[in-house]
Amino acid sequence: MAQYPMIPVPQALETVLTETAISIWFDRQSSNNDDTKTSTSVSNYAQQLLGRIAALDIKAPSPGYPNHNASIMDGYAIKISDLISAKETYDRIIEQEQKDGYILDFHVVGKVYAGDDSDIVRHTTTSKHQRSAIYVTTGAVVPNGYDAVIPIEDTTGDDYSNKIQIISSKIQSVLSTKPLTWIRPIGCDIPSDYVVLSKGEMIQPVHIALLAQVGISLDHVQIKRLPRVGILSTGNELVSISDDKQQVQQQQHGKIPDVNRPMLLSQLSTYGNCLPIDLGIVTDDAGSDNIAQRLTKVLWSEETEEGIDVLITTGGISMGEKDIMEQVFVNGMGGKVHFGRMNMKPGKPTTFITIDREDTKTGILQRKLIFALPGNPVSASVCSKLLVRPCLDLLHDGVDIEEDTSKDTFVEHAVNNARVHEEIMATITSDIKLDQGRPEYRRVTLQRVPSNSSNGHQQYTYHATHTGVQRSSRVLSLRGADGLMMLPRGGTAGCGYDIAKKGLEFPVLLYSSLSTSSSNHTRFMNSQHRGMLKQNTISKKFALGLIICTSEETSTDHFQTIETTLIKSLGGDDHVSVLQRVACKVDDTITQKLPDIINSSQLKDTNVIFVVVPTDSTKEENGSGGSIAFKTSLEVSHLPRPILTKKASALAQQIRMHAASQDPVAALFENVVGTVRDNSAVLVSCSDRGLGGAVGGAKNSLVRLMDILST
Ligand code: AMP
Ligand code: MG
């Protein structure tokens, strides 16, 4: 078993998306850009179409909807031309009393109910009367020649006299009726040729409604074919739950039920983006050659009708003697391992492999994607959510880009725009001990709670409660989870603190999206998750300016501690390119002196400036060691506020919380964060309390902010 480097999860995800995009690219070559070839039509009940991706545009046939001028009211269809002379007469009347006595009446020459298709509807009706009207109900066809409808409530009259009168209070407005008043004209809701279902769009109930409205049968809808996903469990110890002798075998010492297969089969069914296929169990003792042979047949459709696009196996991928899956894929099947370990808990051994093979007839490459997941059910579930789901979404959604793009552009576009988990920030409701070795993707239950309302609008935040002991065999820890909270690695090698204190906020990858519209989906390039990757591969270094506010002019050991802490929490010397330090004495002139230092040429090449106030709550003003009295330090940390070009209050809040989780006294400080010198540098003003935690916790956001500023 090769020892693979442990890569960050977002990098693993990027790799999966890249290789998936290449696989789609291969398909595109072989199907010659003809999307109908990769589509199917099911016996189209609405239910079977829901969640599927349309393979072709569908347009509303002529004349669109509605296909007739329809009345929106119960009332009388009239001709505007009939009103002209009446209006002239009415306008000439000066006396109000006379106006009140004016009678505007119409001869009712027919009736059309909704659904009627009588002569009166189809032919322009002529009438000998001066002003004719036709009684219409809501939804009825307004006959040709009639161009407005007067609501029944504006009229009086009886059924027998065939005459109606406009009630006097309404005469004036009726006389000024505009054409098409209370009429829904032909094609006004959906014009002819309007695309009611777009290629690449996910079919929702509203599309079923639109298709019905424009009269298109569901049989006409072409949808993208679902990727076929095989699921295989491995392990000598596994007993299938579908096995009749289950009870007996389970009691056999050392055997356990196969949880992963039924779990993943059902998990994948809920995605709606694939066709999960049960490949059963193989024992470790079956031998890698045998397993490879069998899987080769399954993958390349030698046994099944259509083969399999994506294979998920669980177990046998760690370092044990019986862990043979890598050998199966690499030696037995010619697969290429893209990564073999991920820097996360749970699921470290997760391995991603592709197998490419030339089509014997066309010479074009075909690709299979393989996820070899760890055997523990929690790891298998979490990793398939993190990696497999976005892969399948991409395969199913396809890549929306012009046909003549180069492979590189195609892949880049596909990866950037790939749909990934929606993310929210959530506050933890209890202390969490951070893992010292790896970042953790912890299952949490979310609760939406009202928070401070600002300017009268109610705001909400999310509270996250974890699902108990997170042991990777403990399937109960998956129950009730709404998503995965991304917790940093603890300790000095990680975020700088060991315990994430209740009240801190961390990002959560949501299992299900809060929005249904595809335009709202989170895209990989915009995700915070990917942002974390950037921090790991950060090319830009922190050019650090450090201003220490002090009671003494001279530096002391204490200042050295501040400097070391800062550099360490920013990722060590490798991540800090410049370091300019300045001491700033706290005295009567500091209000002007501090801004002067910030803008001075001394700090001109820095991109992040820390104003740190060493505090000492136990010592008197101007006490020893260079620290300044706590009361003074509270005031000093506010001083840069007036010179900020832009304020970053949320980041300041984040820094404070992280600081406080290391040293509760830090909660008393209000950190000031923003940009200075025309947005060319970020300024952070804080105390030295909990400095390591504060800077470690805010590092990613600082990088992002600097990135944004530099573009
Ligand atoms: P492995 O990755 O094969 O070393 O397995 C790690 C742990 O997960 C072992 O305790 C296995 O017994 C367990 N395990 C492996 N496959 C399954 C499965 N399909 N269902 C339940 N537990 C499993
Ligand atoms: Mg095993």
Side-chain angles (χ1 to χ4, degrees):
M1 172 91 196
Q3 178 74 267
Y4 292 99
M6 195 152 71
I7 64 167
V9 181
Q11 188 185 334
L13 179 55
E14 185 166 55
T15 306
V16 167
L17 294 173
T18 304
E19 300 309 319
T20 306
I22 295 174
S23 135
I24 302 173
W25 172 263
F26 290 161
D27 269 358
R28 239 162 101 115
Q29 307 308 300
S30 65
S31 58
N32 218 358
N33 291 339
D34 182 353
D35 282 296
T36 55
K37 285 194 186 149
T38 52
S39 70
T40 52
S41 42
V42 286
S43 55
N44 286 342
Y45 301 113
Q47 277 220 334
Q48 293 186 324
L49 288 179
L50 292 176
R52 300 293 297 265
I53 306 287
L56 295 173
D57 282 351
I58 293 196
K59 292 179 179 176
S62 173
Y65 183 83
N67 66 5
H68 57 268
N69 289 335
S71 173
I72 306 175
M73 282 290 197
D74 292 315
Y76 294 92
I78 57 145
K79 299 172 181 176
I80 302 245
S81 56
D82 284 349
L83 300 175
I84 293 169
S85 63
K87 185 169 186 331
E88 278 168 11
T89 315
Y90 182 80
D91 287 347
R92 270 199 300 270
I93 303 172
I94 297 159
E95 293 286 321
Q96 188 56 43
E97 216 172 299
Q98 259 186 301
K99 271 196 189 269
D100 292 346
Y102 184 83
I103 290 173
L104 179 62
D105 58 1
F106 295 84
H107 278 276
V108 180
V109 297
K111 287 187 177 185
V112 185
Y113 300 113
D116 277 0
D117 183 23
S118 55
D119 279 359
I120 191 171
V121 168
R122 273 183 271 147
H123 304 295
T124 308
T125 44
T126 46
S127 161
K128 56 185 188 306
H129 298 287
Q130 193 195 3
R131 284 189 292 271
S132 65
I134 291 176
Y135 175 76
V136 285
T137 62
T138 305
V141 176
V142 176
N144 282 341
Y146 290 80
D147 47 12
V149 170
I150 296 169
I152 201 152
E153 43 278 47
D154 294 354
T155 65
T156 59
D158 55 66
D159 259 4
Y160 307 104
S161 64
N162 286 338
K163 233 179 180 189
I164 54 146
Q165 256 184 43
I166 305 300
I167 56 177
S168 63
S169 63
K170 293 288 178 182
I171 287 179
Q172 193 157 11
S173 69
V174 166
L175 283 173
S176 328
T177 305
K178 299 267 179 311
L180 296 179
T181 301
W182 298 119
I183 291 177
R184 203 167 17 227
I186 290 173
C188 76
D189 282 353
I190 306 175
S192 165
D193 271 350
Y194 192 87
V195 178
V196 289
L197 178 63
S198 308
K199 178 180 158 184
E201 200 172 4
M202 182 182 285
I203 301 173
Q204 309 277 332
V206 66
H207 298 109
I208 307 296
L210 286 169
L211 291 165
Q213 198 164 47
V214 300
I216 290 179
S217 142
L218 299 182
D219 297 326
H220 285 76
V221 181
Q222 288 275 321
I223 48 181
K224 291 250 181 87
R225 138 183 198 281
L226 289 177
R228 296 166 58 87
V229 187
I231 294 163
L232 177 81
S233 287
T234 75
N236 284 348
E237 71 275 38
L238 301 180
V239 179
S240 169
I241 50 149
S242 58
D243 197 320
D244 286 344
K245 288 180 270 176
Q246 184 222 139
Q247 290 290 332
V248 186
Q249 287 185 329
Q250 231 191 82
Q251 281 157 20
Q252 218 178 310
H253 217 59
K255 298 284 185 201
I256 56 164
D258 173 13
V259 172
N260 294 347
R261 220 165 21 108
M263 173 184 72
L264 292 177
L265 283 166
S266 53
Q267 191 169 310
L268 264 61
S269 316
T270 65
Y271 297 164
N273 57 9
C274 68
L275 198 72
I277 296 163
D278 187 352
L279 299 180
I281 301 175
V282 292
T283 58
D284 305 317
D285 293 343
S288 58
D289 289 348
N290 285 335
I291 301 176
Q293 251 177 27
R294 177 175 161 217
L295 287 180
T296 304
K297 276 190 190 159
V298 173
L299 283 185
W300 303 96
S301 73
E302 285 155 23
E303 227 165 42
T304 53
E305 270 277 289
E306 293 182 72
I308 274 172
D309 305 288
V310 179
L311 174 64
I312 304 175
T313 65
T314 61
I317 199 69
S318 322
M319 307 297 288
E321 272 180 34
K322 298 268 180 181
D323 291 334
I324 56 167
M325 293 315 285
E326 190 207 344
Q327 201 184 339
V328 168
F329 294 125
V330 177
N331 304 342
M333 299 170 74
K336 177 180 171 192
V337 176
H338 293 272
F339 57 84
R341 288 197 306 160
M342 291 200 298
N343 187 18
M344 72 173 290
K345 192 183 154 181
K348 185 170 79 172
T350 299
T351 301
F352 177 61
I353 302 147
T354 55
I355 304 178
D356 294 345
R357 189 159 118 169
E358 225 172 68
D359 185 290
T360 41
K361 281 182 222 119
T362 60
I364 291 169
L365 285 174
Q366 293 177 312
R367 160 167 286 200
K368 307 295 178 188
L369 304 163
I370 298 170
F371 295 88
L373 306 180
N376 270 311
V378 173
S379 316
S381 167
V382 168
C383 293
S384 87
K385 297 226 165 155
L386 276 175
L387 302 178
V388 180
R389 182 176 185 168
C391 159
L392 295 175
D393 276 337
L394 180 54
L395 278 181
H396 186 212
D397 290 353
V399 181
D400 183 18
I401 193 168
E402 302 89 62
E403 288 181 1
D404 54 354
T405 33
S406 71
K407 183 179 169 193
D408 287 351
T409 315
F410 179 90
V411 171
E412 190 188 329
H413 178 90
V415 173
N416 281 339
N417 293 287
R419 177 146 56 107
V420 292
H421 292 91
E422 206 167 301
E423 299 163 340
I424 55 145
M425 293 300 288
T427 309
I428 53 176
T429 53
S430 60
D431 289 0
I432 295 180
K433 191 168 181 306
L434 299 175
D435 190 85
Q436 294 280 314
R438 286 168 278 158
E440 189 186 348
Y441 288 71
R442 190 176 276 238
R443 279 75 65 208
V444 291
T445 303
L446 295 172
Q447 199 194 355
R448 189 167 174 261
V449 288
S451 66
N452 303 340
S453 59
S454 69
N455 51 31
H457 297 292
Q458 183 65 62
Q459 311 235 313
Y460 291 89
T461 57
Y462 287 90
H463 281 177
T465 309
H466 69 81
T467 52
V469 176
Q470 301 280 299
R471 196 170 40 241
S472 59
S473 58
R474 188 173 169 266
V475 177
L476 279 174
S477 77
L478 300 172
R479 193 177 186 180
D482 295 308
L484 298 169
M485 176 169 266
M486 300 190 271
L487 293 169
R489 176 185 178 184
T492 44
C495 65
Y497 51 90
D498 298 336
I499 292 178
K501 287 272 194 269
K502 171 181 174 176
L504 272 187
E505 266 196 335
F506 294 98
V508 176
L509 301 175
L510 295 181
Y511 281 167
S512 48
S513 176
L514 295 171
S515 62
T516 49
S517 156
S518 59
S519 56
N520 286 336
H521 286 143
T522 307
R523 306 289 160 181
F524 184 57
M525 64 178 162
N526 304 325
S527 63
Q528 271 199 62
H529 198 193
R530 176 167 177 266
M532 297 168 107
L533 167 64
K534 284 195 104 181
Q535 151 243 301
N536 283 299
T537 57
I538 167 176
S539 53
K540 174 136 36 51
K541 292 188 171 181
F542 292 102
L544 193 63
L546 172 58
I547 303 172
I548 300 183
C549 300
T550 168
S551 58
E552 318 269 290
E553 302 268 25
T554 48
S555 298
T556 66
D557 287 352
H558 195 131
F559 301 162
Q560 190 56 50
T561 318
I562 290 176
E563 193 177 305
T564 321
T565 309
L566 257 184
I567 295 179
K568 201 163 86 184
S569 347
L570 287 172
D573 284 332
D574 288 352
H575 295 276
V576 178
S577 62
V578 183
L579 176 64
Q580 293 293 347
R581 7 179 149 61
V582 192
C584 176
K585 196 174 171 196
V586 179
D587 56 23
D588 293 349
T589 64
I590 189 163
T591 323
Q592 186 46 48
K593 211 166 44 180
L594 190 60
D596 284 349
I597 296 175
I598 291 167
N599 289 315
S600 71
S601 60
Q602 216 175 348
L603 297 184
K604 84 173 183 329
D605 292 326
T606 59
N607 57 17
V608 51
I609 300 171
F610 279 88
V611 177
V612 181
V613 193
T615 63
D616 199 328
S617 54
T618 61
K619 297 204 174 74
E620 288 307 308
E621 185 95 13
N622 294 327
S624 62
S627 299
I628 55 179
F630 193 76
K631 213 170 82 205
T632 314
S633 61
L634 279 179
E635 286 154 21
V636 171
S637 62
H638 281 269
L639 289 179
R641 226 185 258 284
I643 61 159
L644 298 180
T645 324
K646 285 193 190 312
K647 271 190 266 176
S649 314
L651 184 51
Q653 169 91 342
Q654 194 187 345
I655 289 180
R656 192 173 111 207
M657 299 237 276
H658 281 282
S661 79
Q662 198 184 359
D663 180 346
V665 175
L668 298 173
F669 281 88
E670 240 195 276
N671 294 317
V672 174
V673 182
T675 62
V676 287
R677 299 195 321 231
D678 286 340
N679 292 329
S680 69
V682 180
L683 181 125
V684 179
S685 164
C686 57
S687 80
D688 61 343
R689 296 289 186 144
L691 184 64
V695 176
K699 187 170 59 185
N700 301 348
S701 309
L702 274 177
V703 173
R704 294 278 283 183
L705 190 55
M706 283 159 52
D707 268 358
I708 293 166
L709 293 178
S710 65
T711 52

